[in-house]
């Protein structure tokens, strides 16, 4: 439940989600972010629950943390659930609090392209975009639609070319980039529907 150790000047990616269940697609997003953004570390933040999704089939936080830790076996990835200690499921509160607590750390919000398509539905999404740079990782079937989504259009002039992605953490928010990468088609929704693990 504690915030992982950090230090001034570090570049840290934040990958949040309910991870119900975690799967190779999540690991693919995390690895792509580490490789392309010049990050020192990436925190996989297992949330108490997604406010936009029902919680009827949501396993316990401990179960999802354990599964994420087994999957995210990487020396620069830390699986954490400190948002539960914050007492809020909302990303804007998390990023604003982290930025206030660690002003000399360069945080980057990391998400799959499927999330960009619905980003404008997140509570106070403009506050998120105004607090931390955002890296969007390509996902199967999501390449073109997210780029015409309300959030992408609203911040079109703040988009960093993909070739400059390694500079994203150094840019003041709002700033974002879209990263193309080999795709992994797994999704938590599909795995739950089929009753499979990731």
């Amino acid at each position: 439940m504690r915030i992982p150790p950090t230090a001034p000047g570090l570049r840290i990616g934040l990958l949040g989600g309910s991870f119900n269940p975690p799967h190779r697609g999540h690991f693919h997003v995390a690895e792509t972010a580490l490789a392309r953004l010049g990050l020192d570390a990436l925190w996989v933040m297992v949330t108490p629950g997604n406010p936009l999704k029902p919680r009827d089939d949501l396993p316990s936080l401990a179960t999802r943390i354990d599964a994420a830790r087994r999957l995210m076996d990487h020396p620069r990835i830390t699986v954490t659930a400190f948002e539960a200690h914050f007492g809020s499921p909302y990303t804007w509160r998390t990023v604003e609090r982290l930025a206030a607590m660690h002003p000399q750390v360069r945080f980057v919000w990391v998400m799959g392209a499927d999330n960009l398509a619905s980003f404008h539905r997140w509570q106070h999404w403009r506050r998120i975009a105004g607090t931390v740079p955002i890296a969007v990782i390509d996902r199967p079937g999501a390449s073109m639609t997210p780029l015409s989504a309300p959030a992408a259009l609203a911040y079109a002039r703040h988009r960093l070319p993909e070739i400059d992605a390694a500079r994203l953490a150094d840019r003041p928010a709002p700033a974002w980039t879209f990263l193309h990468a080999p795709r992994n088609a797994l999704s938590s929704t599909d795995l739950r529907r089929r009753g499979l693990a990731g």
Side-chain angles (χ1 to χ4, degrees), residues 28 111-118 136-150 152-153 159 162 176-185:
H28 167 71
M111 70 169 91
D114 48 336
N115 284 315
L116 179 61
S118 61
V136 182
I137 314 298
D138 195 12
R139 295 279 287 143
S143 291
M144 299 311 296
T145 302
L147 293 176
S148 61
L153 296 177
R159 183 179 173 189
E162 185 171 356
W176 68 287
T177 194
F178 189 96
L179 299 180
H180 294 87
R183 299 178 178 186
N184 187 305

Side-chain angles (χ1 to χ4, degrees), residues 10-197:
L10 288 183
R11 300 174 169 197
I12 298 177
L14 305 172
L15 176 61
S18 54
F19 297 97
N20 178 29
H23 54 72
R24 294 292 302 180
H26 293 133
F27 191 47
H28 167 71
V29 167
E31 283 190 312
T32 300
L34 283 169
R36 303 280 300 279
L37 299 173
L39 301 176
D40 297 295
L42 185 137
W43 297 350
V44 172
M45 304 186 311
V46 183
T47 66
N50 185 332
L52 296 177
K53 295 180 181 179
R55 300 191 185 188
D56 299 340
D57 65 343
L58 190 65
S60 71
L61 184 60
T63 297
R64 289 179 285 126
I65 291 170
D66 287 345
R69 284 180 174 155
R70 288 194 299 272
L71 175 71
M72 302 285 183
D73 186 14
H74 190 287
R76 289 190 287 146
I77 295 177
T78 299
V79 176
T80 178
F82 64 81
E83 278 186 302
H85 178 68
F86 281 7
S88 172
Y90 296 108
T91 300
W92 68 271
R93 287 182 172 162
T94 297
V95 297
E96 287 187 353
R97 188 165 179 180
L98 286 174
M101 293 172 67
H102 302 287
Q104 295 180 315
V105 173
R106 300 166 187 170
F107 290 110
V108 175
W109 185 260
V110 177
M111 70 169 91
D114 48 336
N115 284 315
L116 179 61
S118 61
F119 187 54
H120 62 285
R121 296 178 55 217
W122 295 21
Q123 189 178 77
H124 298 308
W125 61 276
R126 290 181 182 273
R127 291 177 69 164
I128 301 169
T131 303
V132 291
I134 298 172
V136 182
I137 314 298
D138 195 12
R139 295 279 287 143
S143 291
M144 299 311 296
T145 302
L147 293 176
S148 61
L153 296 177
Y155 289 98
R157 68 186 183 92
H158 299 285
R159 183 179 173 189
L160 192 68
E162 185 171 356
I163 194 171
D164 296 324
R167 297 169 43 214
L168 181 67
D170 300 322
R171 298 291 290 265
W176 68 287
T177 194
F178 189 96
L179 299 180
H180 294 87
R183 299 178 178 186
N184 187 305
L186 287 174
S187 78
S188 294
T189 301
D190 187 50
L191 289 174
R192 289 196 304 274
R193 187 181 299 120
R194 293 186 287 150
L196 301 174

